[in-house]
C-alpha cells in the first residue's frame, strides 16, 4: 500500500475514520432510516420477507486477521494479490478500515440499500478529502449499489466477506 506516504499512524487514521462516520450520522439500522420504497424492496419475498433485513457491523481488525489466516489456505501467494469483496457492504466502514489495515490490491463493496450506499460513498469521499486514505488507496475502493447476485465483484474477489445475523 502507499500508507508510508502518510505520516499519521494507522490507529490515528482509524480514529479519524470513526469521526467521519460519527459526523455522517447514524447508519440506517434494521428498518429505521430507510425510505418507504427501499423498505418495500428489502421486505419483499425475494429478499427474505419482512424482518429479514437486519444490519450489523464487525471490526476491521478482526476481519483483517481472519483474511490473513485464510490467505495461505486459499492459495493466495502475496497479500498484495488480494481482492476483497464485501457482500452487503452497508455504510462501507469495513472496507475503509480494511483499506487502512491490509495491502489488498482492490476492495469492492456491494450494498442493496441505497441509503447505506449513499453513506458509504460520502464516507469514502470524506476519507479521501481528509487524507485518511491517499488518493491512490481511495481509488482502489469500489462501492456499488445493487444486488450482490448481479455484480461482477462476486466473481473477481479472492476473499469475500458477508456479515449475517441469521
Amino acid at each position: 500500500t502507499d500508507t508510508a506516504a502518510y505520516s499519521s499512524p494507522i490507529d490515528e487514521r482509524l480514529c479519524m475514520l470513526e469521526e467521519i462516520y460519527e459526523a455522517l450520522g447514524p447508519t440506517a439500522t434494521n428498518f429505521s432510516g430507510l425510505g418507504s420504497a427501499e423498505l418495500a424492496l428489502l421486505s419483499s419475498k425475494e429478499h427474505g420477507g419482512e424482518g429479514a433485513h437486519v444490519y450489523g457491523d464487525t471490526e476491521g481488525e478482526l476481519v483483517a486477521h481472519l483474511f490473513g489466516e485464510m490467505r495461505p489456505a486459499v492459495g493466495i501467494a502475496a497479500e498484495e494479490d488480494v481482492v476483497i469483496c464485501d457482500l452487503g457492504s452497508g455504510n462501507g466502514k469495513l472496507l475503509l478500515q480494511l483499506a487502512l489495515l491490509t495491502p489488498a490490491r482492490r476492495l469492492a463493496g456491494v450494498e442493496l440499500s441505497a441509503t447505506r450506499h449513499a453513506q458509504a460513498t460520502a464516507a469514502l469521499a470524506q476519507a479521501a478529502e481528509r487524507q485518511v486514505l491517499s488518493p491512490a488507496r481511495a481509488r482502489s475502493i469500489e462501492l456499488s449499489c445493487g444486488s450482490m447476485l448481479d455484480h461482477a465483484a462476486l466473481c473477481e474477489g479472492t476473499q469475500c466477506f458477508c456479515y449475517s445475523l441469521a
Side-chain angles (χ1 to χ4, degrees), residues 68-145:
E69 292 292 319
M70 289 176 11
R71 187 180 52 80
V74 295
I76 301 169
E79 287 189 17
E80 294 81 11
D81 293 334
V82 171
V83 176
I84 295 173
C85 184
D86 185 4
L87 306 175
S89 56
N91 65 6
K93 188 175 182 181
L94 178 64
L95 287 175
L96 273 62
Q97 289 174 337
L98 291 175
L100 292 171
L101 296 168
T102 72
R105 176 171 44 91
R106 189 166 143 247
L107 301 107
V110 184
E111 173 56 44
L112 187 61
S113 164
T115 303
R116 293 182 185 124
H117 173 71
Q119 283 186 313
T121 57
L124 177 58
Q126 284 290 311
E129 183 178 307
R130 293 183 54 186
Q131 298 184 345
V132 173
L133 297 171
S134 71
R137 194 59 172 150
R139 285 190 304 272
S140 74
I141 300 171
E142 174 192 345
L143 300 169
S144 300
C145 186

Side-chain angles (χ1 to χ4, degrees), residues 16-106:
M16 292 170 69
L17 190 58
E18 288 295 331
E19 291 171 6
I20 288 170
Y21 277 97
E22 286 176 21
L24 287 174
T27 299
T29 57
N30 299 336
F31 290 113
S32 86
L34 302 177
S36 60
E38 195 171 34
L39 180 60
L41 173 68
L42 296 175
S43 299
S44 69
K45 185 176 180 180
E46 176 185 3
H47 295 289
E50 190 169 338
H53 190 73
V54 179
Y55 187 78
D57 265 333
T58 194
E59 293 299 319
E61 291 91 350
L62 173 62
V63 175
H65 174 76
L66 291 172
F67 280 178
E69 292 292 319
M70 289 176 11
R71 187 180 52 80
V74 295
I76 301 169
E79 287 189 17
E80 294 81 11
D81 293 334
V82 171
V83 176
I84 295 173
C85 184
D86 185 4
L87 306 175
S89 56
N91 65 6
K93 188 175 182 181
L94 178 64
L95 287 175
L96 273 62
Q97 289 174 337
L98 291 175
L100 292 171
L101 296 168
T102 72
R105 176 171 44 91
R106 189 166 143 247

